[in-house]
C-alpha cells in the first residue's frame, strides 16, 4: 500500500508518494488547483494500484481536493498540520521545509496511523454546520444593528427606548417623530434603514431555523427530546460534533467539547482543573442546556445538582459535573441516532425484497 501525501495550497497542490515500509520518496507531482490538474494527479497516482491519500488539513485548504477524491472512490485520510510539523521535527532534514517535504510528512503520519482520520463524503452534518455558522453571523449582525438603533433612538427620543427592542417597537417609536434639524433628519433616516435591516435579518434567521429543522427531521435525531435542546442547539451540536462515531468513548467526546476536567498531579498531590480547551462553541451549547435544566425545579438535572451540593461540592464544580453528565448523554443519543440512521436504508430494502 503506497501512501500519497498532499500538501494543499490555495492555487497549487503538491503530492508525494511514499513507501510506508521504507519511508522512501517514490516521486512527487505539483499541480494547479484546477479540475484538469486534479485529473492529471489522479492519472499519475494510478501507477500504484494499491494506494491511499493523506491530505494535510483536509477540512481547510485541502477540502475541495479531498472531497473530489472521495467522490471518485479513493481512500483519503485527513492529516492535521500539527502532526506533519512533528514529523519534520523528528526527521533528519535539518529543519528544512518545502511543499514536497510537507507532503511526505503527511504521508508518513498516515502510514504510522497517528492522528490521521478517514475523510467521508459530506452529508447532513456538514449542511447543519454551514447553517449554524451562517446563523451565528446573522445573530451578530442583528445585535450590531440593534445596538446602533439604541444609540440613535437615545439621541432622538428623551429616555430612549426599552431594552427589549424589536423592529416593530423601533418603528412605532419613530413613527410620530418630526425632525427639527439636519442631524435629526439624518438620524431618523438611519433609524429607518436599520429597522429595515433588522426585519431582513429576522426573516433570514427564521428561514435559517426552518431549514435546520427540515434537515433535523430528515435525519430523525432524538437530540430535541432532551430538555433544553431545540432546533438551533441541536443543529449546533450536530454540526460542530461532525460524525460522532469518530469518538470511541464518551470520555473522548468530553475531551473534544471541553467538559472533561484537566488532571494536574505530581507525587501525592492530585487535583482537577477547569478545561479551557476543546470546542468552545460546543461547550457553550452544553452550558446553555445545563442552565435551562437547572431552572426546572422538577428536572433530573436539578435533583442531581441539589444532591451534589448537599454532599458538600461547590456550585461551580457541581455545574461542571452536570455538563460532563450532559456530554455523556448527548454522545449516547447521537451514537444511537447514527446507528438508526444508517440502518434505515437496509431495513427499507429488506422490506422491499
Amino acid at each position: 500500500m503506497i501512501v500519497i501525501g498532499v500538501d494543499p495550497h490555495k492555487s497549487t497542490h503538491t503530492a508525494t508518494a511514499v513507501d510506508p515500509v521504507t519511508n522512501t520518496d517514490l516521486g512527487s507531482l505539483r499541480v494547479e488547483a484546477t479540475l484538469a490538474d486534479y485529473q492529471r494527479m489522479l492519472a499519475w497516482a494510478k501507477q500504484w494500484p494499491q494506494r491511499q491519500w493523506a491530505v494535510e488539513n483536509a477540512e481547510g485548504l485541502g477540502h475541495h481536493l479531498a472531497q473530489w477524491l472521495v467522490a471518485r472512490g479513493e481512500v483519503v485520510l485527513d492529516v492535521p498540520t500539527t502532526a506533519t510539523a512533528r514529523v519534520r521535527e523528528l526527521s533528519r532534514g535539518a529543519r528544512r521545509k518545502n511543499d514536497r517535504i510537507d507532503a511526505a510528512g503527511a504521508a508518513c503520519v498516515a502510514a504510522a496511523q497517528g492522528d490521521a482520520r478517514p475523510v467521508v463524503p459530506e452529508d447532513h452534518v456538514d449542511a447543519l454546520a454551514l447553517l449554524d455558522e451562517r446563523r451565528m453571523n446573522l445573530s451578530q449582525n442583528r445585535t450590531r444593528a440593534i445596538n446602533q438603533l439604541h444609540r440613535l433612538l437615545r439621541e432622538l427620543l428623551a429616555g430612549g427606548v426599552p431594552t427589549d427592542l424589536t423592529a416593530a417597537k423601533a418603528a412605532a417609536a419613530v413613527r410620530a417623530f418630526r425632525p427639527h434639524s439636519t442631524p435629526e433628519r439624518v438620524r431618523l433616516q438611519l433609524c429607518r434603514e436599520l429597522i429595515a435591516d433588522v426585519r431582513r435579518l429576522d426573516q433570514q434567521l427564521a428561514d435559517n431555523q426552518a431549514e435546520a429543522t427540515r434537515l433535523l427531521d430528515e435525519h430523525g435525531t432524538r437530540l430535541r427530546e432532551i430538555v433544553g435542546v431545540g432546533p438551533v442547539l441541536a443543529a449546533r451540536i450536530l454540526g460542530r460534533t461532525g460524525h460522532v462515531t469518530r469518538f470511541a468513548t464518551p470520555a473522548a467526546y468530553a475531551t473534544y467539547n471541553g467538559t472533561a476536567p484537566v488532571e494536574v498531579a505530581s507525587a501525592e498531590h492530585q487535583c482537577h482543573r477547569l478545561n479551557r480547551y476543546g470546542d468552545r462553541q460546543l461547550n457553550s451549547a452544553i452550558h446553555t442546556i445545563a442552565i435551562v435544566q437547572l431552572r426546572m425545579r422538577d428536572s433530573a438535572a436539578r435533583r442531581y445538582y441539589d444532591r451534589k451540593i448537599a454532599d458538600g461540592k461547590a456550585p461551580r464544580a457541581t455545574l461542571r459535573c452536570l455538563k460532563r453528565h450532559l456530554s455523556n448523554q448527548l454522545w449516547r443519543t447521537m451514537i444511537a441516532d447514527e446507528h438508526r440512521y444508517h440502518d434505515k436504508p437496509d431495513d427499507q430494502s429488506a422490506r422491499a425484497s
Side-chain angles (χ1 to χ4, degrees), residues 41-95:
M41 179 188 293
L42 185 57
W44 168 79
K46 286 182 178 179
Q47 61 184 297
W48 300 287
Q50 299 296 324
R51 65 183 179 272
Q52 65 179 7
W53 300 76
V55 180
E56 184 182 43
N57 193 17
E59 294 298 327
L61 289 174
H63 179 267
H64 189 272
L65 174 62
Q67 290 296 325
W68 187 87
L69 290 170
V70 168
R72 280 146 187 83
E74 297 292 314
V75 178
V76 184
L77 300 177
D78 177 19
V79 179
T81 55
T82 53
T84 57
R86 289 197 298 269
V87 169
R88 287 198 307 270
E89 287 290 333
L90 296 173
S91 68
R92 296 176 294 175
R95 297 184 180 274

Side-chain angles (χ1 to χ4, degrees), residues 3 21 44 62 84 107 113 124 137 144 164 187 206-207 236 238 243 256 265 272 312 328-329 340 352:
V3 182
V21 178
W44 168 79
T84 57
Q113 295 297 319
H124 65 281
N137 292 331
R144 190 178 299 112
D164 55 339
R187 287 191 182 97
D207 294 342
R236 178 161 302 171
L238 286 172
H243 293 277
Y256 175 77
H272 292 83
N328 295 345
Q329 183 181 7
R340 195 158 49 89

